[in-house]
Amino acid sequence: MDKKHLFFLLSLILMLMPACTPEEAVTTDETIPDDTLSLPDPQLAWSASTFEAIIGVSSDFPTLTNTNHLSISYSSSDTAVATIDKAGAVALVGTGSCFITASFEGNDQYRAAADSYLLIVKSSEDDSSLTIVFDSAGDSSSEDDISNTTFTRLITVTYASDGASVTGYSAVADMMEVSVSGSHVTIDYTGSENVVYKLTGSSSDGCFKLYSGKKQALWLSDLSLTNTDGAAINNQSKKRTFVYVDGSNSLADGPSATYSSDGDEDMKGVFFSEGQLVFSGSGSLKVTANNAKSKSGIVSDDYVRLMSRPTVAVSAGSGAGHGIKANDYVQISDGILGISTAAAMKKGITSDDYVLVEGGQTSIKVSGGVAYDSDDSEYTGTAGIKADNYFAMTGGTLGITNIGSGGKGLRAGSYDYYTANSNSLDNSYISGGTLTIATTGNESNDVSSKAIKIGFKEKVSNSYKYAGDFQMKGGSVIVDCSKSEAFETKGALSISDGELFVSSTADDAINSQGEMTITGGYVYGYATQNDAIDTNGDMKISGGYVYAITTKGAPEVALDANTEGGYKLYITGGVVVAYGGLENSYSSSSTVYTLSGTADAWNALYDGKAFIAAFKAPAGLSSFAVTAPSLTSGYKNVSVGGTTYCNDTWAVSGLTGGTAVSLDAYSGSSQGGGPGGDPGGNPGGGGGGRH
């Protein structure tokens, strides 16, 4: 990565808030990955990101900056186009394109690095007909990978203060109508080739509009384009459009933009496309929606996918729309994405189907509040991510903060999608990656500010319909909500692996309308005003490590199943630690004890031969209900030298020292003490909490 890209990357990563204690807001700190911080950057950089050369004509090829005089290896991605020798000298072989790469393997002083530029080789009679194959975007098995499409024509649009110019289309003028008015460029292509449209230069009042029946690439190369009256890029093609991001680029509209359209055409955002948008490349792109017409930053009437490895920043103002909007889905496979939205009701990312996070680094900050939605005849709040069907995460990092009233962090599963798709929703799930969410807004017009809400509750006839299941199968989730329930699913909740840390200072930490099953993983629920972990169905714990705390007092409890509705808490395995009591009439296959430990320290469970696990007690809390198979005693003030889990609340290895303490019988007869602890610290609990 060159210096200008690194500076842009650092400036866009949305610094959220520091890590939490149970009493404080959970926050995020999106940073550059650890492997890029371990050693200094060797600072390799070619003098140009693209270069065109003509066979038989002398050329001054791009030069490499090698500040630290390191040993460099050179390579060409296609030696039938050009070769490069050990000294870095390029020789042209044939027409086409290739990537020229300089690589450093790394040593004990500098980390490994590489930088490339795209070399386009033409003959002296070239009329823009050539072969361009871009490097893989990270998923060569997918048609979304730009390397799987061969492009055979390059059209260059250059913007300047005195207007725009278009070159490279003379040979296909009978199939390509080009209209230029100042810096407003419209191209209507009816041919059969896959075309690359290279957009470069700068204009404070211009746009690019495209009609095409073939898939194409938009090559953004150091482009700065503002359309004061509408979309900066308006792609009316319904075919797949690859967006190759090269250098530093910016797109914007104006605060007085009217977004007037022709006939049935629409422009829903600063970068609008009727077809799929697939982003790749190593450059940066900043998209700014300044309008007051609720128009968004990036919009596709199909899907949006972010691949390897551009840096994209989207900002939508208080009168604008969403950050990214897609009709079909949004898929984040790689790259660095930062989104900021400020308008009421609007979302950082919104999809009419699903949102899938597979990799990359994503940060979303939302600040807008609640407003009346005339389309749905109800008040609506904002969200970091909203998916009408489901949300899934398998890798990468995702950090969301929402400070707006009635704002959600993550919202998935709508009644409208459910009814339109044969009364079904796909399950939301997390199987990898790291998700961190914090919401701090107050409730407004009956719209609450939950950190995660999965599914819906809808009144149908004289009863309510619930749907929306969530599966925790891996990964790490850290969630906080200061004004409402933190994590709520309107269907069933199952946890089989991963780490789930949830804190609420206003309501339940974790809540499910349907059955809750925990078979593995690490779970922590902390609530100061209601139940820690609560379900309106059965709660079944058969494995994993479950830690639940409520400091509210009766009738709230740490682990609450809906006894009033005929349901029950079943503990048939796993390790369970609770402060604030267990649901009345619970069933446990292992004896439940009371352990008197040490507040603000690590306390452990022991089976007579070895430590089973250790849990970190919050400040002010020292007495807990505990159960685990083969449990014989407890330890307080143990040392933890191994890995900790679930936001530093669980540990299972590297446990040493401490003082042994006996286990007392758990009576379940009285509520445990609050943050200061009552004399004796009995962690018992009585009847069921509110539902």
Side-chain angles (χ1 to χ4, degrees):
M1 179 181 296
D2 62 34
K3 287 183 286 187
K4 66 179 180 179
H5 293 161
L6 179 59
F7 177 81
F8 184 83
L9 183 156
L10 292 172
S11 65
L12 88 89
I13 295 298
L14 302 175
M15 299 304 294
L16 305 179
M17 295 179 288
C20 75
T21 63
E23 294 86 351
E24 297 172 343
V26 176
T27 55
T28 62
D29 180 13
E30 291 297 315
T31 58
I32 303 171
D34 290 343
D35 60 354
T36 67
L37 293 174
S38 58
L39 290 171
D41 185 345
Q43 298 183 352
L44 302 180
W46 289 105
S47 58
S49 57
T50 60
F51 186 77
E52 295 184 11
I54 299 175
I55 293 176
V57 177
S58 177
S59 296
D60 292 326
F61 291 97
T63 57
L64 180 72
T65 297
N66 182 8
T67 304
N68 298 293
H69 308 290
L70 302 171
S71 177
I72 303 300
S73 299
Y74 297 96
S75 64
S76 167
S77 64
D78 189 344
T79 55
V81 175
T83 61
I84 184 168
D85 63 20
K86 293 180 179 180
V90 174
L92 305 182
V93 179
T95 59
S97 69
C98 64
F99 285 88
I100 300 297
T101 301
S103 303
F104 171 63
E105 291 185 355
N107 58 22
D108 57 358
Q109 292 182 301
Y110 299 96
R111 65 176 179 265
D115 195 34
S116 303
Y117 71 88
L118 180 64
L119 174 62
I120 299 171
V121 181
K122 301 179 180 181
S123 69
S124 57
E125 295 82 20
D126 234 323
D127 61 1
S128 83
S129 178
L130 73 163
T131 299
I132 300 177
V133 179
F134 291 90
D135 274 353
S136 173
D139 185 3
S140 59
S141 64
S142 170
E143 286 300 308
D144 284 339
D145 196 312
I146 192 172
S147 66
N148 289 324
T149 298
T150 299
F151 301 92
T152 55
R153 192 161 299 276
L154 174 66
I155 308 299
T156 301
V157 181
T158 303
Y159 292 89
S161 58
D162 58 349
S165 61
V166 182
T167 58
Y169 68 95
S170 59
V172 290
D174 57 332
M175 296 176 288
M176 182 174 289
E177 181 180 343
V178 177
S179 172
V180 180
S181 177
S183 289
H184 293 256
V185 177
T186 301
I187 294 179
D188 189 346
Y189 177 58
T190 58
S192 58
E193 293 182 86
N194 295 324
V195 179
V196 176
Y197 300 91
K198 182 179 181 180
L199 310 183
T200 188
S202 177
S203 174
S204 59
D205 184 16
C207 70
F208 179 75
K209 186 176 184 179
L210 177 65
Y211 298 91
S212 169
K214 292 286 288 182
K215 61 183 175 181
Q216 60 265 312
L218 297 181
W219 180 357
L220 309 185
S221 180
D222 290 315
L223 172 71
S224 177
L225 186 60
T226 297
N227 185 0
T228 59
D229 197 43
I233 295 180
N234 181 1
N235 178 28
Q236 290 292 317
S237 169
K238 295 185 178 181
K239 299 296 184 179
R240 181 183 284 108
T241 297
F242 300 98
V243 184
Y244 185 76
V245 182
D246 169 36
S248 297
N249 303 271
S250 64
L251 303 173
D253 61 11
S256 301
T258 63
Y259 278 83
S260 56
S261 58
D262 298 328
D264 295 332
E265 290 181 5
D266 55 10
M267 294 182 290
K268 297 175 182 176
V270 177
F271 190 160
F272 172 71
S273 178
E274 288 284 350
Q276 307 100 313
L277 289 176
V278 183
F279 292 83
S280 65
S282 60
S284 62
L285 171 63
K286 181 179 181 180
V287 180
T288 305
N290 296 304
N291 68 86
K293 295 291 185 180
S294 295
K295 301 298 183 179
S296 301
I298 297 174
V299 183
S300 170
D301 275 350
D302 205 293
Y303 65 79
V304 175
R305 185 174 183 185
L306 194 68
M307 301 186 72
S308 183
R309 194 176 201 268
T311 297
V312 179
V314 183
S315 176
S318 59
H322 311 290
I324 296 178
K325 182 183 186 304
N327 276 8
D328 284 7
Y329 59 85
V330 176
Q331 184 173 355
I332 302 171
S333 302
D334 203 347
I336 299 170
L337 174 62
I339 299 175
S340 175
T341 64
M345 300 193 299
K346 303 307 178 182
K347 283 71 180 174
I349 296 175
T350 183
S351 166
D352 291 349
D353 198 322
Y354 66 86
V355 174
L356 170 61
V357 179
E358 298 177 306
Q361 296 168 275
T362 302
S363 297
I364 301 173
K365 186 174 183 178
V366 179
S367 59
V370 172
Y372 188 75
D373 186 345
S374 57
D375 291 337
D376 294 331
S377 300
E378 64 181 10
Y379 283 94
T380 302
T382 59
I385 291 179
K386 177 179 177 292
D388 281 352
N389 185 8
Y390 72 94
F391 169 84
M393 186 171 185
T394 62
T397 62
L398 169 61
I400 300 173
T401 57
N402 192 332
I403 64 173
S405 59
K408 307 291 190 297
L410 168 61
R411 176 76 175 91
S414 73
Y415 180 70
D416 288 344
Y417 185 94
Y418 176 85
T419 55
N421 290 272
S422 304
N423 292 337
S424 68
L425 289 173
D426 291 320
N427 294 335
S428 292
Y429 66 91
I430 294 176
S431 61
T434 300
L435 170 64
T436 310
I437 300 177
T439 58
T440 58
N442 291 308
E443 181 176 313
S444 176
N445 292 290
D446 294 326
V447 181
S448 59
S449 57
K450 303 177 191 296
I452 296 178
K453 182 178 179 180
I454 305 298
F456 64 85
K457 170 187 177 183
E458 195 75 19
K459 190 169 185 178
V460 180
S461 298
N462 293 320
S463 62
Y464 286 97
K465 176 65 180 177
Y466 298 86
D469 295 349
F470 182 88
Q471 299 171 344
M472 183 78 189
K473 301 187 286 187
S476 176
V477 177
I478 302 174
V479 170
D480 176 82
C481 180
S482 62
K483 304 297 183 182
S484 185
E485 287 177 327
F487 187 149
E488 178 190 39
T489 176
K490 293 299 186 181
L493 172 62
S494 64
I495 302 169
S496 59
D497 201 354
E499 304 170 49
L500 177 61
F501 177 101
V502 183
S503 174
S504 172
T505 54
D507 207 323
D508 296 337
I510 302 172
N511 176 277
S512 66
Q513 175 65 30
E515 182 176 274
M516 184 184 302
T517 59
I518 302 174
T519 60
Y522 299 88
V523 182
Y524 181 93
Y526 184 98
T528 62
Q529 296 299 316
N530 213 332
D531 302 315
I533 303 178
D534 176 41
T535 177
N536 279 23
D538 288 325
M539 184 185 302
K540 300 178 179 178
I541 302 172
S542 61
Y545 301 83
V546 181
Y547 193 178
I549 296 173
T550 179
T551 60
K552 173 63 175 176
E556 318 310 341
V557 291
L559 295 171
D560 184 10
N562 186 7
T563 302
E564 300 93 329
Y567 299 98
K568 196 170 183 177
L569 166 63
Y570 298 92
I571 303 174
T572 59
V575 178
V576 177
V577 175
Y579 179 90
L582 307 180
E583 175 63 86
N584 256 357
S585 304
Y586 70 87
S587 171
S588 177
S589 60
S590 298
T591 303
V592 180
Y593 298 100
T594 295
L595 184 152
S596 294
T598 302
D600 198 21
W602 285 97
N603 300 277
L605 306 179
Y606 190 70
D607 68 2
K609 297 179 181 179
F611 288 116
I612 299 171
F615 60 94
K616 180 70 174 292
L621 304 185
S622 60
S623 186
F624 303 87
V626 297
T627 186
S630 304
L631 177 61
T632 61
S633 64
Y635 272 74
K636 61 183 180 180
N637 295 320
V638 300
S639 298
V640 175
T643 302
T644 61
Y645 301 92
C646 210
N647 202 32
D648 199 34
T649 57
W650 278 110
V652 296
S653 63
L655 308 180
T656 59
T659 303
V661 293
S662 61
L663 300 174
D664 298 322
Y666 169 66
S667 65
S669 59
S670 64
Q671 178 67 24
D678 63 1
N682 191 330
R690 292 181 288 110
H691 297 280

